[in-house]
Amino acid sequence: MSIEYAIIVKNKTRLESLIERFNTKAQAKFYIESFGGNFNDYESEHEIFQSSLISLQTQLSSVVKNKTVERIYLPSFIFSEKNLIIVIGQDGLVANTAKYAKGCPIIAVNPDKNRYDGVLLPFDTSDFLPGVENVLDDNFPSKIMRFAEATLNDGQRLLAFNDLFIGASSHISARYKISFNQNTEEHSSSGLIVSTLAGSTGWLSSVFNMAYGVTNMFEKDLTPKRPELKDNELLFVVREPFKSIRTQTGINAGVIRNQNSLTSESLRPSGGVIFSDGIETDFLKFNSGSIAKIGIAPETAKIVLK
């Protein structure tokens, strides 16, 4: 199928969000500097991003028609199989975009290599155009990446490129039953994180950092390890499980493979949620009566490589 349009996906810079909040750049600057913040960093970040975006748009217009979509519109934007998607921004924006991409090839561009790690961003504005031309010629290397999925007993479903969060919508404890590998427990915790291979360097890695940091207070020189997942595996971790007369902590982490799955039944009358990839506005309600089955989704994302 020939590509008719390239869709550029971007997010607002921190400066744009500040101006939106305080109405003017001058008021935003006053607010940041009155608390001792470095407003120049916001300006520099914005200028570098805008320069990269303009460069990308200009180069792209020479080979294919294109339009730009803001991140906030992703949940309602309808991608076509005739689209090529170009993400310019942080690694997390690739995750936000992939689950709505419907298998369209994604070219991920790092706009500022001095600021963003770029684990999921193989291109920059100096070398992305050959990648675009390869996709237009339908001859390009790519990496197929799997999604996690949460399916509720009422049929609702949510995909995750990086991770799923299952818990309470605020900082109160989540109450639920959890079943894995034929074992079932009642839990009170800060919720569960379920991570894909792509997400294992993100939110999940911060849980490992915390665990090793606390452990090293008592076990000196413990060498930190990081999750090593395959593309057909998910790793779940229970955050801050609390043990009591009613609640247990035996099921605290595990790897979901193939047809294996994790099941969680909500015990909260209200305020329970499941969201993915950090987009809290795109969520499933997870309250009493809801049972979620967590596993590997049949859908995939196609990330274009150099």
Side-chain angles (χ1 to χ4, degrees), residues 102-162:
K102 295 182 179 178
C104 294
I106 298 172
I107 292 178
V109 178
N110 190 338
D112 189 348
K113 287 189 171 182
N114 291 323
R115 190 177 293 270
Y116 306 133
D117 291 340
V119 175
L120 297 175
L121 307 168
F123 297 93
D124 60 35
T125 55
S126 71
D127 62 11
F128 83 96
L129 200 57
V132 172
E133 292 170 339
N134 288 339
V135 173
L136 295 178
D137 292 337
D138 196 23
N139 182 22
F140 59 95
S142 65
K143 183 175 183 179
I144 304 302
M145 306 191 74
R146 304 293 300 271
F147 291 96
E149 67 173 350
T151 305
L152 295 184
N153 52 335
D154 64 1
Q156 293 186 84
R157 186 167 173 264
L158 185 65
L159 296 178
F161 181 82
N162 273 347

Side-chain angles (χ1 to χ4, degrees), residues 107-250:
I107 292 178
V109 178
N110 190 338
D112 189 348
K113 287 189 171 182
N114 291 323
R115 190 177 293 270
Y116 306 133
D117 291 340
V119 175
L120 297 175
L121 307 168
F123 297 93
D124 60 35
T125 55
S126 71
D127 62 11
F128 83 96
L129 200 57
V132 172
E133 292 170 339
N134 288 339
V135 173
L136 295 178
D137 292 337
D138 196 23
N139 182 22
F140 59 95
S142 65
K143 183 175 183 179
I144 304 302
M145 306 191 74
R146 304 293 300 271
F147 291 96
E149 67 173 350
T151 305
L152 295 184
N153 52 335
D154 64 1
Q156 293 186 84
R157 186 167 173 264
L158 185 65
L159 296 178
F161 181 82
N162 273 347
D163 40 53
L164 291 162
F165 172 78
I166 305 146
S169 58
S170 65
H171 291 292
I172 57 179
S173 294
R175 290 294 300 271
Y176 55 90
K177 286 183 180 179
I178 183 172
S179 298
F180 183 68
N181 284 345
Q182 300 181 336
N183 295 314
T184 299
E185 293 182 347
E186 185 171 327
H187 276 199
S188 175
S189 77
S190 297
L192 291 85
I193 297 174
V194 183
S195 177
T196 66
L197 170 63
S200 62
T201 60
W203 192 359
L204 183 66
S205 69
S206 70
V207 176
F208 276 69
N209 292 338
M210 177 189 70
Y212 277 101
V214 172
T215 304
N216 268 321
M217 291 180 63
F218 308 98
E219 298 288 340
K220 298 299 182 184
D221 301 321
L222 182 65
T223 303
K225 295 181 180 179
R226 294 292 176 263
E228 295 182 1
L229 293 176
K230 298 178 181 177
D231 61 1
N232 63 343
E233 295 178 335
L234 308 174
L235 176 60
F236 76 87
V237 176
V238 178
R239 299 196 314 163
E240 302 169 329
F242 182 75
K243 191 170 185 178
S244 70
I245 295 174
R246 291 293 305 273
T247 58
Q248 298 84 47
T249 60

Side-chain angles (χ1 to χ4, degrees), residues 17-181:
S17 296
L18 281 172
I19 293 173
E20 189 175 76
R21 177 183 174 189
F22 294 104
N23 299 317
T24 69
K25 182 177 177 180
Q27 287 178 307
K29 181 178 181 180
F30 174 78
Y31 175 81
I32 294 298
E33 294 185 343
S34 66
F35 286 97
N38 180 11
F39 191 73
N40 290 336
D41 186 55
Y42 291 82
E43 291 181 306
S44 174
E45 177 188 42
H46 177 78
E47 290 168 3
I48 291 172
F49 178 81
Q50 289 300 320
S51 176
S52 294
L53 177 63
I54 291 170
S55 174
L56 184 146
Q57 291 170 327
T58 302
Q59 294 180 67
L60 190 60
S61 295
S62 68
V63 295
V64 65
K65 294 183 290 185
N66 61 87
K67 56 185 175 182
T68 302
V69 175
E70 292 282 349
R71 168 185 164 171
I72 59 172
Y73 298 117
L74 284 175
S76 59
F77 190 85
I78 300 175
F79 289 101
S80 161
E81 61 181 6
K82 296 183 179 181
N83 289 154
L84 158 66
I85 301 172
I86 300 176
V87 175
I88 179 168
Q90 300 183 48
D91 294 81
L93 189 57
V94 179
N96 298 154
T97 304
K99 66 180 181 179
Y100 304 109
K102 295 182 179 178
C104 294
I106 298 172
I107 292 178
V109 178
N110 190 338
D112 189 348
K113 287 189 171 182
N114 291 323
R115 190 177 293 270
Y116 306 133
D117 291 340
V119 175
L120 297 175
L121 307 168
F123 297 93
D124 60 35
T125 55
S126 71
D127 62 11
F128 83 96
L129 200 57
V132 172
E133 292 170 339
N134 288 339
V135 173
L136 295 178
D137 292 337
D138 196 23
N139 182 22
F140 59 95
S142 65
K143 183 175 183 179
I144 304 302
M145 306 191 74
R146 304 293 300 271
F147 291 96
E149 67 173 350
T151 305
L152 295 184
N153 52 335
D154 64 1
Q156 293 186 84
R157 186 167 173 264
L158 185 65
L159 296 178
F161 181 82
N162 273 347
D163 40 53
L164 291 162
F165 172 78
I166 305 146
S169 58
S170 65
H171 291 292
I172 57 179
S173 294
R175 290 294 300 271
Y176 55 90
K177 286 183 180 179
I178 183 172
S179 298
F180 183 68
N181 284 345

